[in-house]
Amino acid sequence: MYVRFSLNADLLTSGDIPGEAAAAIEQAVQEANETSFRRGVPKEAQPDDIGRITGWSVEGNALRLSIASGPYTRAHDALFRFRKSIASVLGRHRIGVRGIEVTGFTIRLEGSVEPAAIPRLPMIQETAFDENGVLLSLTLNAADLENKVPDRLVRLIEEKAEAMAYGGKAEHWELIYESPRQPPRFDRDPTEEMVKKGWIKHGAARGQWIYGPQAVQLFRAFETIVLEEIIRPLGFSEMVFPKLVPWEVWKRSGHAKGVYPEIYYVCTPKTRDPAYWEDVADYFKVTGEVPVEMIRDRIDGPIGGMCYAQCPPFWPFVQGETLATDCLPIHVFDRSGTSHRYESGGIHGIERVDEFHRIEVLWLGTAEQTVDTADRLHAAYTRVFDDLLELEWRCARVTPWFMAQEGLVGVSENEQIGTRDYEAVLPYSGGWLEFQNVSVNGNKYPKGFNVKIQSGADCWSGCSGIGLERWTAAFLAQKGFDMADWPDRVAELVGEPKEIFRFL
Amino acid sequence: MYVRFSLNADLLTSGDIPGEAAAAIEQAVQEANETSFRRGVPKEAQPDDIGRITGWSVEGNALRLSIASGPYTRAHDALFRFRKSIASVLGRHRIGVRGIEVTGFTIRLEGSVEPAAIPRLPMIQETAFDENGVLLSLTLNAADLENKVPDRLVRLIEEKAEAMAYGGKAEHWELIYESPRQPPRFDRDPTEEMVKKGWIKHGAARGQWIYGPQAVQLFRAFETIVLEEIIRPLGFSEMVFPKLVPWEVWKRSGHAKGVYPEIYYVCTPKTRDPAYWEDVADYFKVTGEVPVEMIRDRIDGPIGGMCYAQCPPFWPFVQGETLATDCLPIHVFDRSGTSHRYESGGIHGIERVDEFHRIEVLWLGTAEQTVDTADRLHAAYTRVFDDLLELEWRCARVTPWFMAQEGLVGVSENEQIGTRDYEAVLPYSGGWLEFQNVSVNGNKYPKGFNVKIQSGADCWSGCSGIGLERWTAAFLAQKGFDMADWPDRVAELVGEPKEIFRFL
């Protein structure tokens, strides 16, 4: 995409700029155009592609600038670079630069531009399309320029164009392992069977189950297998990650780019003062109904949401730190609470729920260490699924979860970065259930949370989410409820179902 | 408090009421006043205290009634009782009763009335105070009457009067056990020490910590002690309780009466359609900021909140059921996730946080079984704190938690119902920390969730919340960080702290 930036801005000074400064200003402008703006620009760049002050004038305490650029030393970057150099020139006249007022900013785009999306984008005041492209007039201030708003805007428009071009293509899916076939022992929906047996009941909220002792015996048996066969042999240490996730975390993890449709949002009371809430309580006491609209007016936020992906809230533990080379790779896991996703409506089995339980495995280190851990996890999982659970399953390279959760499709350009989904066949439907995954996330999180390695090597990370509901759904769908059909180790760990409730 | 109800209402019929029905109506009115309204009323009641139809007339298809009462067969109850009997009278004229229109409703209160609170209460249109009391004119319809709004209103005004009378009195606190003294091993704040050692770091949200491996070793050691010494010997089975709590649960558990100031509220997206959320995502992509106000307009609810007390969301598992006598007592526990409370601001140690981890123990059965389980739990805790953890602690009878969370003070009238708090001394401050509790909640939850016992005995329940952060805070505050000072069993279960992170 062809891109050009053009801006008008006033550098506001602490006093009127004297006429005798004109020559020095002109000299600074020429120096900027010929030297400073060319720093860091590739040799093959055309002169027109590079930022250039195209005009200047003085009016009282304002130095008025017009700057234009293509993709290199973009007009706004040129502005800030010039402010630095002109500050020392004006300093000689005992005048300081006090602020910047942006009086005009346009972006010219040519090439594959998706017209439909542009007018709704923030900061855009006017759009003018012609046969070659579009001219965007923006309303923004100096803080927006420092915050790289024009660059983000261009990148977003490019992304939308790519998504259009990609549109309709299916998610990436590429088989990398297929297990031996297993004799099917059961052909019904295991959730219905668990409900019939009284092992689980619907919770009061949507997509939520209450698990009785018998179901939890399965969860804990699988957890024991994960701990004994995977987590301990590979040397993972348990941590406790937070479960309320504020925007601050999702801004850095990238989830703020696209996860909004599926979040359970969290809001806080405007105050803890009981007097402020007394009439809400009174309303309930008198009517027996909770006054949702009254509450809505009395809460702030949303401040973020309930845990969605389990690993992002770990990262503030290492945020801004440099890790000693010899403590790497770091291997940790968390199993301290629930994850919540606003899934599409309707009745689901335990394999597709709004509230679920997951053991999240997380590791970081150099690229090599990170890839190696992922491979060793894959080998351990393969042994567990083939030999211990005797599942019929397969493994596929798919669109990385962190891309999917930002609304992107395709796969990473780097072959080593990506997600492997583990899928088990469900004999009752013939479909396949993704019951866990392993991802190498490259430097995405270390970069987002500013984590470095002492040696200077790029820091990478990986994660693997082990869904207890999904292991249970896959296992019961294939093996059924007759424990005589179960692999010995599983039967032994689960034990006889505890039937402690008896309803009339 | 002296109370009188007075109402005017029209019974609307399917056709005009003929003049020849008058005698039968008058007879029905007399029968009601002399017989039907007196059913179930205590003998000592004065005639004036009992509901009475004081006047009636016919106008087209409306039978206009005036009814007055004191506390017995209240005017609105009398209305519904009379509708039944008059329906068969009018039926003989082939006329049916189609609806009720309430044209006036007043409540007269005399005695200790708190004037300040009344005008803000819902449904009240007008209040007129005089030297003896107040006359409330209400705006309500037949559904409100069926929903017992007048009764709830009177009860609430009585509660407020009691709270005023009780005002200023401290919460109930009555010592019931004091442990032997223990030699103090440490005199600093354990949270500060854990932060210094890199065992814990602040999470990104308020009152939230990320626990490193060393802290989690302590959590898991205590969890093991709870499982091995308390939960298994007393025969508790693990369940998984939901962690998102909708109003439906808090309406029945009573939390909707007063817990509003401390809830982390949960809201849901108005739709999962990505197109609906595209401009929110675009705004973030362009500005790097999350547009909280835009999101606020796109979410529904709040539908409830994050887990506050851990046991209420268990109850839908048994809601509406009759339990077989021989499966009682039921003993279960949950340790599947976090609890969240909007605590007062400022920096706290791990002993006072917004997000915390608790093992919740819950039991139900007859009153005797429930009290017996609480006593056996108390004995087991005493052994663990005295002999295994060697803590200096005490136990006190306090205002029951379910009363406190409804904004009430004092204690239950029934000596067997109530909460015992377990408190440990914090040598660094000299204060006492409540680190867990045991409660017998009487029939509160079985009643709220409509749970019965086959034998007809009253169903009771109890619960006990074991706070992992608070056990840890109490233990470290008393024993410090030198494992040589720790009881052997704890030191052995915790093991050497895993120092897996090293920051430069």
Side-chain angles (χ1 to χ4, degrees):
Chain A
M1 189 150 46
Y2 169 92
V3 58
R4 291 201 63 79
F5 302 91
S6 169
L7 74 76
N8 293 311
D10 295 351
L11 292 184
L12 304 175
T13 53
S14 56
D16 286 357
I17 302 170
E20 74 239 39
I25 294 172
E26 178 57 29
Q27 198 183 341
V29 167
Q30 281 184 22
E31 189 281 334
N33 283 347
E34 281 157 29
T35 312
S36 141
F37 292 169
R38 286 173 192 253
R39 268 201 290 276
V41 173
K43 287 220 173 83
E44 65 274 19
Q46 299 296 315
D48 244 21
D49 287 346
I50 307 166
R52 180 167 193 85
I53 297 173
T54 56
W56 68 271
S57 64
V58 166
E59 200 169 305
N61 69 336
L63 173 56
R64 309 205 129 173
L65 297 169
S66 300
I67 311 182
S69 79
Y72 303 111
T73 311
R74 297 177 170 193
H76 41 295
D77 297 327
L79 174 65
F80 293 113
R81 212 177 278 181
F82 181 69
R83 178 176 59 174
K84 260 196 197 156
S85 62
I86 200 67
S88 67
V89 170
L90 295 175
R92 280 178 234 132
H93 298 272
R94 298 179 169 266
I95 292 171
V97 178
R98 286 284 173 269
I100 296 177
E101 200 181 317
V102 182
T103 56
F105 198 105
T106 63
I107 303 177
R108 169 79 188 166
L109 296 170
E110 296 183 9
S112 53
V113 178
E114 199 222 322
I118 291 176
R120 292 192 301 124
L121 293 180
M123 312 287 182
I124 297 181
Q125 192 187 22
E126 222 184 295
T127 55
F129 286 91
D130 56 44
E131 53 190 3
N132 294 320
V134 65
L135 185 73
L136 308 175
S137 304
L138 310 187
T139 308
L140 31 64
N141 57 33
D144 296 327
L145 294 186
E146 273 185 302
N147 192 17
K148 303 268 181 201
V149 165
D151 310 273
R152 293 169 192 260
L153 203 53
V154 169
R155 192 161 62 239
L156 177 57
I157 293 168
E158 281 170 350
E159 262 179 37
K160 284 180 188 287
E162 278 162 31
M164 289 283 284
Y166 211 98
K169 285 191 203 171
E171 295 242 327
H172 189 83
W173 192 92
E174 179 192 339
L175 186 67
I176 55 179
Y177 176 85
E178 203 162 17
S179 78
R181 302 208 55 169
Q182 296 282 353
R185 305 289 190 182
F186 193 68
D187 61 5
R188 296 199 302 283
D189 178 345
T191 298
E192 285 174 17
E193 197 70 16
M194 292 176 88
V195 170
K196 253 188 239 158
K197 287 173 169 287
W199 290 13
I200 59 175
K201 284 202 183 186
H202 274 292
R206 74 181 239 157
Q208 182 186 69
W209 295 92
I210 311 172
Y211 297 93
Q214 312 92 329
V216 177
Q217 285 174 268
L218 276 155
F219 285 4
R220 292 300 168 222
F222 293 139
E223 187 179 79
T224 301
I225 289 174
V226 170
L227 290 174
E228 290 181 359
E229 303 295 332
I230 297 164
I231 280 178
R232 268 180 223 141
L234 296 184
F236 284 84
S237 299
E238 185 169 5
M239 288 184 63
V240 166
F241 303 165
K243 293 288 170 280
L244 189 168
V245 187
W247 297 126
E248 187 52 31
V249 166
W250 280 335
K251 281 158 71 171
R252 291 178 177 274
S253 73
H255 284 86
K257 289 188 192 164
V259 84
Y260 305 99
E262 291 190 347
I263 290 297
Y264 275 94
Y265 294 89
V266 175
C267 296
T268 48
K270 278 192 199 296
T271 158
R272 290 182 84 246
D273 178 8
Y276 183 74
W277 289 95
E278 192 178 357
D279 53 347
V280 172
D282 287 347
Y283 186 94
F284 172 73
K285 288 175 185 167
V286 170
T287 66
E289 292 302 325
V290 173
V292 173
E293 287 306 316
M294 280 171 78
I295 295 172
R296 230 178 133 81
D297 290 340
R298 285 172 168 76
I299 56 180
D300 282 329
I303 60 167
M306 297 176 82
C307 173
Y308 176 86
Q310 204 163 327
C311 62
F314 154 80
W315 286 91
F317 197 83
V318 290
Q319 186 171 336
E321 300 279 6
T322 299
L323 290 159
T325 304
D326 63 8
C327 79
L328 298 176
I330 299 278
H331 282 174
V332 297
F333 73 102
D334 168 77
R335 50 165 171 164
S336 68
T338 47
S339 297
H340 300 257
R341 294 185 181 189
Y342 191 74
E343 291 285 356
S344 49
I347 296 159
H348 303 300
I350 64 163
E351 70 276 12
R352 184 152 179 212
V353 285
D354 284 36
E355 175 169 336
F356 56 98
H357 303 80
R358 184 167 47 184
I359 303 173
E360 180 80 357
V361 179
L362 185 155
W363 59 101
L364 55 164
T366 63
E368 244 179 9
Q369 289 170 331
T370 305
V371 171
D372 177 61
T373 298
D375 290 342
R376 291 202 290 146
L377 269 173
H378 177 69
Y381 286 137
T382 301
R383 203 177 65 76
V384 165
F385 301 144
D386 280 352
D387 302 345
L388 290 183
L389 304 191
E390 299 172 13
L391 287 180
E392 186 168 332
W393 65 286
R394 64 188 187 188
C395 183
R397 181 169 150 86
V398 301
T399 298
W401 69 274
F402 57 86
M403 288 176 62
Q405 290 179 6
E406 291 175 13
L408 303 175
V409 284
V411 284
S412 165
E413 281 166 27
N414 184 328
E415 273 281 329
Q416 295 188 302
I417 296 174
T419 292
R420 291 176 222 176
D421 272 358
Y422 294 72
E423 305 178 344
V425 74
L426 300 176
Y428 75 92
S429 68
W432 290 83
L433 172 68
E434 184 215 322
F435 64 99
Q436 67 161 39
N437 57 42
V438 169
S439 293
V440 171
N441 303 320
N443 67 5
K444 177 176 176 58
Y445 291 96
K447 212 173 142 193
F449 290 88
N450 190 24
V451 182
K452 294 195 166 51
I453 298 179
Q454 177 184 24
S455 68
D458 208 16
C459 186
W460 278 29
S461 76
C463 62
S464 174
I466 300 168
L468 291 177
E469 280 90 349
R470 292 195 168 187
W471 275 45
T472 302
F475 182 84
L476 290 177
Q478 293 189 15
K479 304 296 176 194
F481 289 78
D482 183 347
M483 290 178 77
D485 290 336
W486 291 8
D488 293 344
R489 177 81 184 284
V490 177
E492 190 189 311
L493 282 170
V494 173
E496 276 306 309
K498 292 190 189 174
E499 306 289 349
I500 67 167
F501 292 90
R502 218 155 60 70
F503 302 119
L504 296 191
Chain B
M1 186 149 46
Y2 169 91
V3 59
R4 291 200 62 77
F5 301 90
S6 169
L7 73 77
N8 294 311
D10 295 350
L11 292 184
L12 305 175
T13 54
S14 56
D16 285 357
I17 303 171
E20 73 238 38
I25 293 172
E26 177 57 30
Q27 199 182 341
V29 166
Q30 282 183 24
E31 190 280 335
N33 283 346
E34 280 157 30
T35 311
S36 142
F37 292 170
R38 284 172 192 251
R39 267 202 291 277
V41 174
K43 287 220 174 79
E44 65 275 19
Q46 300 295 313
D48 244 22
D49 287 347
I50 306 167
R52 180 167 194 85
I53 297 175
T54 55
W56 68 271
S57 64
V58 166
E59 200 169 306
N61 69 336
L63 173 56
R64 310 206 127 172
L65 297 169
S66 299
I67 311 181
S69 79
Y72 302 112
T73 311
R74 296 176 171 194
H76 40 296
D77 297 329
L79 174 65
F80 293 113
R81 211 178 278 182
F82 181 70
R83 177 174 62 174
K84 259 194 198 160
S85 61
I86 200 67
S88 67
V89 171
L90 295 175
R92 280 177 235 133
H93 298 271
R94 298 178 169 268
I95 290 170
V97 178
R98 285 289 175 264
I100 295 176
E101 200 181 316
V102 182
T103 56
F105 197 105
T106 64
I107 303 177
R108 169 79 188 166
L109 295 170
E110 296 183 8
S112 51
V113 178
E114 199 221 320
I118 292 176
R120 293 191 302 122
L121 293 180
M123 311 287 181
I124 296 181
Q125 192 186 22
E126 221 183 297
T127 55
F129 286 91
D130 56 45
E131 54 191 359
N132 293 320
V134 66
L135 184 73
L136 309 176
S137 304
L138 310 188
T139 309
L140 30 64
N141 57 33
D144 295 326
L145 294 187
E146 275 186 302
N147 192 17
K148 304 267 182 201
V149 165
D151 309 274
R152 293 169 191 261
L153 203 53
V154 170
R155 193 162 61 241
L156 177 57
I157 292 169
E158 281 169 351
E159 262 179 39
K160 283 180 188 287
E162 278 163 31
M164 289 284 285
Y166 211 99
K169 284 191 201 171
E171 295 244 328
H172 188 84
W173 191 93
E174 178 193 339
L175 187 69
I176 55 180
Y177 175 85
E178 203 161 18
S179 78
R181 302 211 53 170
Q182 295 283 352
R185 305 288 189 182
F186 194 66
D187 61 3
R188 297 199 302 282
D189 178 345
T191 299
E192 284 174 18
E193 197 70 16
M194 291 176 90
V195 170
K196 253 187 240 159
K197 285 173 170 289
W199 290 13
I200 59 175
K201 282 202 183 187
H202 273 293
R206 74 181 239 158
Q208 181 186 69
W209 295 92
I210 311 172
Y211 296 93
Q214 311 93 328
V216 177
Q217 286 173 270
L218 277 156
F219 285 5
R220 292 301 168 220
F222 292 138
E223 187 178 78
T224 301
I225 288 174
V226 171
L227 290 173
E228 290 181 359
E229 304 294 331
I230 298 163
I231 280 177
R232 267 180 221 142
L234 296 184
F236 284 85
S237 300
E238 185 169 5
M239 288 184 63
V240 166
F241 303 165
K243 293 288 169 282
L244 189 167
V245 187
W247 298 125
E248 187 51 32
V249 167
W250 280 334
K251 280 159 71 171
R252 291 178 177 275
S253 73
H255 284 85
K257 289 187 191 163
V259 84
Y260 304 99
E262 291 190 347
I263 290 296
Y264 275 95
Y265 294 89
V266 175
C267 297
T268 49
K270 279 193 200 292
T271 159
R272 288 182 84 246
D273 178 8
Y276 183 75
W277 290 95
E278 193 177 354
D279 53 346
V280 172
D282 287 347
Y283 186 93
F284 171 73
K285 287 175 185 167
V286 170
T287 66
E289 293 302 325
V290 173
V292 172
E293 287 306 317
M294 280 171 79
I295 295 172
R296 230 177 134 83
D297 290 340
R298 285 171 169 76
I299 57 180
D300 281 330
I303 59 167
M306 298 177 83
C307 173
Y308 177 86
Q310 204 163 328
C311 63
F314 154 80
W315 285 91
F317 197 82
V318 290
Q319 187 172 337
E321 300 279 6
T322 299
L323 289 159
T325 304
D326 64 8
C327 79
L328 298 175
I330 298 278
H331 283 175
V332 297
F333 73 102
D334 169 77
R335 49 166 171 163
S336 69
T338 46
S339 298
H340 300 257
R341 294 187 180 186
Y342 191 74
E343 292 285 357
S344 49
I347 295 162
H348 303 301
I350 63 163
E351 70 276 12
R352 184 152 179 211
V353 286
D354 284 37
E355 176 169 336
F356 57 98
H357 303 80
R358 182 167 51 180
I359 303 173
E360 179 81 358
V361 178
L362 184 156
W363 59 101
L364 56 164
T366 63
E368 242 179 9
Q369 288 170 331
T370 304
V371 171
D372 177 60
T373 298
D375 289 341
R376 290 201 291 146
L377 269 172
H378 177 69
Y381 286 137
T382 301
R383 202 177 65 76
V384 165
F385 301 144
D386 280 353
D387 301 346
L388 290 183
L389 304 191
E390 300 171 11
L391 286 181
E392 186 168 332
W393 65 286
R394 65 188 187 187
C395 183
R397 180 168 150 86
V398 300
T399 299
W401 69 274
F402 57 86
M403 288 177 61
Q405 290 179 7
E406 291 175 14
L408 303 176
V409 284
V411 284
S412 164
E413 281 165 26
N414 184 327
E415 272 281 330
Q416 294 188 302
I417 296 175
T419 292
R420 292 176 220 174
D421 272 357
Y422 293 72
E423 304 177 345
V425 73
L426 300 176
Y428 75 92
S429 69
W432 290 83
L433 172 67
E434 183 216 323
F435 65 99
Q436 67 161 40
N437 57 43
V438 169
S439 292
V440 171
N441 304 320
N443 67 4
K444 176 175 177 60
Y445 291 96
K447 211 171 144 195
F449 290 88
N450 190 24
V451 182
K452 294 194 166 51
I453 298 180
Q454 178 185 23
S455 68
D458 207 14
C459 186
W460 278 29
S461 76
C463 62
S464 174
I466 301 169
L468 292 177
E469 281 89 348
R470 292 195 168 186
W471 275 43
T472 303
F475 182 84
L476 289 177
Q478 292 190 15
K479 304 296 175 194
F481 290 76
D482 183 347
M483 290 178 77
D485 290 335
W486 292 8
D488 292 345
R489 177 81 184 284
V490 177
E492 190 189 310
L493 282 170
V494 173
E496 275 306 308
K498 292 189 190 174
E499 306 289 351
I500 68 169
F501 291 91
R502 218 155 59 70
F503 301 119
L504 296 193

